[in-house]
Amino acid sequence: MNRRTVLGSMALMGAVAAGRGAAAQNRPTVSSGPGGPGPLNLITDVAGLKVGQAQNAAARTGVTVILADTPAVAAVDVRGGGPASRETDVLRPENLVQRADAIVLSGGSVYGLGSGDGVTAWLGAQGRGFGFGPKVDGIPLSPIVPTASLYDLANGGDKGWGVDPPYKALAIQAAEACSDRFELGTAGAGYGAKAGSLKGGIGSASAVMSSGATVGAIVAVNSAGSVVAPGGKTFWAAPYEIGDEFGALGSAGLQAAGDEWGAPRSNPRAGENTTIALVATDVALTRVECQRVAIMAQDGMARAIRPSHAPFDGDIVFCMSTEKRELPQGDARAFMVAQIGALAADVLARAIARGVYQATNWPGVTGEAWRDL
């Protein structure tokens, strides 16, 4: 068996294992209902979305695919100084395409952008994608798959992939594994991630508004900044925690001088630290309203990571609307968009903490997970 086959087999086993672990891990921490999380406390509580993941343990990297049942209105806001992305310009409001078929979060930095190729090919083979008028035999549609990648190239994994990086294959495996349940922590795009000096990972959370609308977030936490306050293990996101979803330590430990961050990376370098996320809602937003929600949701990073949006980060937040619920018109509409954006920031902060809280060390590595503090 050659090396490429071995790595591919390991990635497939990782995707299967992720599916087994997700059901036990993602039980709600408090009863769902207005003001609380959705039934799963995951982004898939937003009707019309599914998530699949695959990872390669040897390379210490992975891919997370967020798949919309039907093309969803989408937008993106980029705040970091060193982003790695593809198909983000297509989401600009002045451009033709207003919807995306899927969003991909990946490890691998510029190599990881090949994960978008995998999902694009997978969707195209199923006859999904953008086109003008009725589908014509022999002319493929064009799936819209915006992608963002984080930097995990220096985490000690085997990156000797030559001219065949694993991301396209991992992305196809992740797409095929899409479900309403998925693993948090050391999985998918968060498999190779670090959060400051701690092990990073995939996090997700949701919230149900009093109107019945749902807001969710998924994030791969690979920050230069710290997610915990100095001198302990209290998450910066502690004021936003619901129930015991990331340890229930409360906010008493949130003390720091102005230039204290907690547990950041000791020597962050430009382009090597990125937190990439998607927030979503089932409320029918326009493309411009999605943009506003993505902008507001960036505050969730600032609430959960100290510092965020730095020159050496590549922070990106996508937003999706699955359009399952109608918005009111007039002033009430603008107010509800503001509510969704504010809640998206809270949910993203919770998701960031959950990703690090659930993260475990890589095989053979000790002392880097939050639980080791």
Side-chain angles (χ1 to χ4, degrees):
M1 182 179 292
N2 62 33
R3 179 176 172 277
R4 185 180 303 165
T5 303
V6 171
L7 292 180
S9 298
M10 292 180 73
L12 181 57
M13 288 188 289
V16 173
R20 290 182 184 141
Q25 187 186 60
N26 294 319
R27 296 189 183 98
T29 54
V30 296
S31 59
S32 59
L40 296 174
N41 199 13
L42 297 173
I43 193 171
T44 48
D45 288 324
V46 175
L49 296 180
K50 292 182 174 60
V51 172
Q53 303 190 106
Q55 52 272 331
N56 186 310
R60 290 187 182 173
T61 194
V63 174
T64 298
V65 175
I66 304 94
L67 182 65
D69 292 345
T70 58
V73 177
V76 64
D77 186 67
V78 181
R79 295 289 174 92
S85 60
R86 59 170 273 173
E87 290 278 51
T88 51
D89 279 352
V90 77
L91 300 181
R92 293 172 63 89
E94 70 270 22
N95 290 335
L96 177 66
V97 179
Q98 301 289 297
R99 288 173 168 77
D101 296 285
I103 300 290
V104 180
L105 309 179
S106 175
S109 188
V110 293
Y111 298 98
L113 296 177
S115 59
D117 294 338
V119 178
T120 298
W122 185 81
L123 287 167
Q126 300 185 44
R128 287 192 54 175
F130 178 81
F132 294 99
K135 184 177 184 301
V136 178
D137 288 343
I139 301 178
L141 297 175
S142 300
I144 306 302
V145 186
T147 302
S149 298
L150 56 82
Y151 186 96
D152 58 7
L153 299 180
N155 62 13
D158 180 6
K159 307 302 195 297
W161 48 58
V163 297
D164 190 19
Y167 296 99
K168 181 176 180 179
L170 286 172
I172 293 171
Q173 292 168 19
E176 291 175 342
C178 279
S179 170
D180 61 348
R181 296 172 185 262
F182 56 95
E183 188 175 2
L184 302 185
T186 307
Y191 188 89
K194 296 288 292 293
S197 61
L198 299 176
K199 180 70 186 74
I202 279 284
S204 189
S206 68
V208 179
M209 302 174 67
S210 57
S211 64
T214 300
V215 176
I218 186 170
V219 58
V221 189
N222 189 59
S223 57
S226 175
V227 296
V228 297
K233 55 194 304 182
T234 302
F235 285 101
W236 288 116
Y240 307 97
E241 184 175 16
I242 298 178
D244 61 352
E245 62 187 348
F246 45 88
L249 298 182
S251 301
L254 294 184
Q255 303 178 39
D259 58 354
E260 286 186 309
W261 294 342
R265 300 197 191 200
S266 59
N267 184 28
R269 292 176 294 185
E272 295 188 6
N273 317 275
T274 300
T275 299
I276 48 180
L278 167 70
V279 297
T281 181
D282 54 1
V283 176
L285 302 179
T286 66
R287 168 63 189 74
V288 172
E289 289 166 341
C290 262
Q291 183 71 43
R292 179 51 52 187
V293 170
I295 292 169
M296 295 179 71
Q298 289 275 10
D299 290 348
M301 287 196 192
R303 294 169 187 172
I305 302 168
R306 185 180 173 98
S308 58
H309 310 145
F312 32 72
D313 289 312
D315 301 337
I316 294 176
V317 175
F318 294 100
C319 178
M320 273 184 143
S321 162
T322 60
E323 302 178 283
K324 303 297 184 182
R325 291 176 174 269
E326 291 299 321
L327 262 181
Q329 298 302 312
D331 292 341
R333 182 183 184 98
F335 182 73
M336 191 167 182
V337 172
Q339 286 183 309
I340 292 168
L343 187 56
D346 293 349
V347 173
L348 179 54
R350 291 166 48 214
I352 289 168
R354 291 192 81 198
V356 178
Y357 175 71
Q358 295 286 2
T360 56
N361 290 306
W362 297 302
V365 175
T366 59
E368 294 192 355
W370 177 86
R371 297 168 190 269
D372 298 323
L373 290 176

